[in-house]
């Protein structure tokens, strides 16, 4: 078994942390000559708070996800990554990526940003990155920003 990665998944949500993770994924893809899966999960729990499930909220989230994917895909191809797949999914990001998207795309490395939760939030809901490291069947790289 080689020490190179063939298929790398980067989880993006539009945050600065995710952007750092994306940039790191480009570097690692190039070093390993790997293909890239860019994934964004629309967190359906945010819709639950809306009174009568407002359709426009979902539509805005979908539109945003598409713009995000188009932008990241363009940046990846500009950087010379030839095989890029984008995946938009619905549900809980931390569950979807580790247990569904990564296995379905035969990913051998997941890259994500360190999320900015405070200690109390992390205690109650657990961070996305923490959950991925626990449940993913492959390696997980949590990228820290220079702020840390």
């Amino acid at each position: 078994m080689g020490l190179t990665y063939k298929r790398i998944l980067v989880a993006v949500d539009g945050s600065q942390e995710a952007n750092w993770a994306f940039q790191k994924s480009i570097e690692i893809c190039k070093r390993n000559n790997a293909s890239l899966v860019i994934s964004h999960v629309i967190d359906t729990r945010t819709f639950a708070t809306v009174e009568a499930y407002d359709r426009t909220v979902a539509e805005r989230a979908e539109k945003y996800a598409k713009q995000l994917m188009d932008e990241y895909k363009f940046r990846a191809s500009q950087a010379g990554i030839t095989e890029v797949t984008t995946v938009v999914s619905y549900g809980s990001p931390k569950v979807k990526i580790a247990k569904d998207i990564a296995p379905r795309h035969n990913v051998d490395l997941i890259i994500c940003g360190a999320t900015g939760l405070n200690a109390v939030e992390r205690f109650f809901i657990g961070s996305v990155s923490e959950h991925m490291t626990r449940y993913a069947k492959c390696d997980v790289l949590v990228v820290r920003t220079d702020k840390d």
Side-chain angles (χ1 to χ4, degrees):
M1 180 183 119
L3 292 173
T4 56
Y5 296 109
K6 298 272 175 271
R7 288 182 74 75
I8 295 168
L9 181 147
V10 62
V12 296
D13 60 5
S15 67
Q16 183 56 51
E17 285 79 11
N19 200 39
W20 282 93
F22 174 75
Q23 288 169 324
K24 185 80 74 166
S25 74
I26 294 291
E27 291 168 30
I28 297 170
C29 273
K30 287 167 96 165
R31 280 204 300 270
N32 290 271
N33 195 24
S35 61
L36 182 63
V37 177
I38 307 167
S39 176
H40 175 69
V41 177
I42 296 171
D43 196 336
T44 47
R45 291 167 310 174
T46 56
F47 301 149
T49 58
V50 179
E51 275 302 302
Y53 182 72
D54 189 354
R55 187 66 211 142
T56 57
V57 175
E59 280 163 13
R60 267 205 307 276
E62 282 168 27
K63 192 175 171 202
Y64 176 71
K66 189 192 179 318
Q67 288 170 341
L68 199 64
M69 291 294 102
D70 289 348
E71 185 196 326
Y72 277 124
K73 189 169 189 170
F74 175 74
R75 285 171 57 191
S77 60
Q78 287 290 95
I81 311 298
T82 51
E83 201 185 322
V84 183
T85 308
T86 57
V87 180
V88 174
S89 191
Y90 294 85
S92 164
K94 57 187 185 181
V95 175
K96 269 290 197 206
I97 289 164
K99 293 183 174 173
D100 175 29
I101 299 167
R104 190 158 24 109
H105 291 271
N106 295 314
V107 167
D108 47 20
L109 175 65
I110 297 172
I111 301 177
C112 61
T115 49
L117 295 178
N118 65 39
V120 177
E121 288 172 320
R122 200 171 288 120
F123 177 77
F124 284 112
I125 59 176
S127 71
V128 172
S129 52
E130 185 191 351
H131 197 275
M132 283 187 210
T133 51
R134 191 174 299 151
Y135 293 103
K137 299 273 189 278
C138 61
D139 291 357
V140 178
L141 172 64
V142 180
V143 177
R144 302 226 169 257
T145 67
D146 56 357
K147 286 200 297 283
D148 292 347

